[in-house]
Amino acid sequence: QRLALDQRRSPLAALTLGALPETPTARRPTMHPPAAFVYGSLMWEPVLRAMLGRVPKATSACIEAGFKRCRVRNEPYPGLVRTSEPVKATHGLLLTDLVGAERAIFDLFEDVEGEVYTARAVEARIVVGVMSPYGWATSTAHREVSALALGETVQASLYLFGDSSALLPELWAPDDFASHLPTFLAMVERFALEPAVAKLRLAAQDELSKL
């Protein structure tokens, strides 16, 4: 099982098995739509701050059909896969001001090259009337998406999970991750120190300074 071998994606393994493997610096670039739809650990402000050094602008959003967000066996984060099942809309966030180097950091974190996750384009719907998008996305009391007003459709990219055999039948919810946040943050902080990631963070700062 590929996931079990990826120490970056397993917080406990990252903390107990020693130094993380150095991330390769030569990667095939991934083309992304301007906005990124995030639906799991990247909805938490502390995670983004530890990874990128800042918290991007966010808009509450959802994807209405054709996907389901499942729990991953022995992991706190979810996996999103395509489905024909009649599941409810998946709520999340649109990160709208990411620069190219930050998208490259996401690709490394999600191991796009190793196909743990695969970047795909998707149509997301804006959820209207949410004053605090990050709080709404991670709240244990978030409203049903179907009961909220939906706005325009936006082209975005998201990360689909690549190993369906590692998924549990139960749908994932923010509660499944919140209690693991401290351990997960420690793993992300280690990831951010990898040479390739540190180099991309400097590149991102340069990009942001020119906006």
Side-chain angles (χ1 to χ4, degrees), residues 103-144:
R103 301 300 291 266
I105 291 172
F106 279 6
D107 285 347
L108 288 177
F109 185 71
E110 304 292 4
D111 197 7
V112 170
E113 191 77 3
E115 299 184 354
V116 173
Y117 285 82
T118 305
R120 290 288 183 267
V122 68
E123 289 189 345
R125 293 288 300 275
I126 300 294
V127 177
V128 178
V130 176
M131 299 301 294
S132 177
Y134 282 103
W136 172 80
T138 59
S139 171
T140 56
H142 70 267
R143 282 76 58 198
E144 292 287 348

Side-chain angles (χ1 to χ4, degrees), residues 91-103:
H91 81 280
L93 294 172
L94 282 174
L95 305 184
T96 58
D97 68 341
L98 295 170
V99 295
E102 290 174 325
R103 301 300 291 266

